[in-house]
Amino acid sequence: MAGLVSRGPNGTIAAVAIAFAKFLGVFATSVSPDKYLVSPMSLGGYAISLSTEQLVAIALVALLTWTNTRGLEVGKIVQNTFTFAKTARADCQLWLIGLS
């Protein structure tokens, strides 16, 4: 069991989730590190809180974890979707540069 837990991206999913939540906050003002669902409180020398940005990151980690447990077929769909989105964005950027 310990071998299964230690394998994998080692924090990559968490980093992606945090970055996504931060960028989502640019478009959705309700997602912010300053909007707390649980106000900061001290607990044994630690500050504990829950912001809307943290909640989005936690939900994304849960979603990506669920996706990873579904197997290759679901993973393939997710990977192809993200690849299409990145390629379409790059194509649009090149097209917009061409219009300048």
Side-chain angles (χ1 to χ4, degrees):
M1 183 68 169
L4 291 175
V5 173
S6 66
R7 293 188 183 136
N10 297 328
T12 303
I13 290 176
V16 167
I18 291 168
F20 177 81
K22 286 190 179 300
F23 285 117
L24 181 62
V26 172
F27 300 106
T29 56
S30 61
V31 177
S32 169
D34 299 325
K35 293 191 179 180
Y36 292 103
L37 300 171
V38 176
S39 297
M41 64 180 125
S42 180
L43 186 65
Y46 294 98
I48 298 190
S49 65
L50 180 64
S51 69
T52 54
E53 185 178 270
Q54 291 169 326
L55 183 63
V56 167
I58 290 167
L60 189 57
V61 167
L63 177 66
L64 290 173
T65 300
W66 175 82
T67 301
N68 285 337
T69 64
R70 298 296 107 199
L72 290 176
E73 190 61 34
V74 174
K76 180 181 83 172
I77 292 167
V78 171
Q79 184 68 36
N80 288 340
T81 301
F82 284 128
T83 300
F84 173 78
K86 287 187 288 186
T87 304
R89 184 202 70 220
D91 288 347
C92 287
Q93 286 175 332
L94 290 172
W95 181 73
L96 288 172
I97 289 171
L99 289 178
S100 299

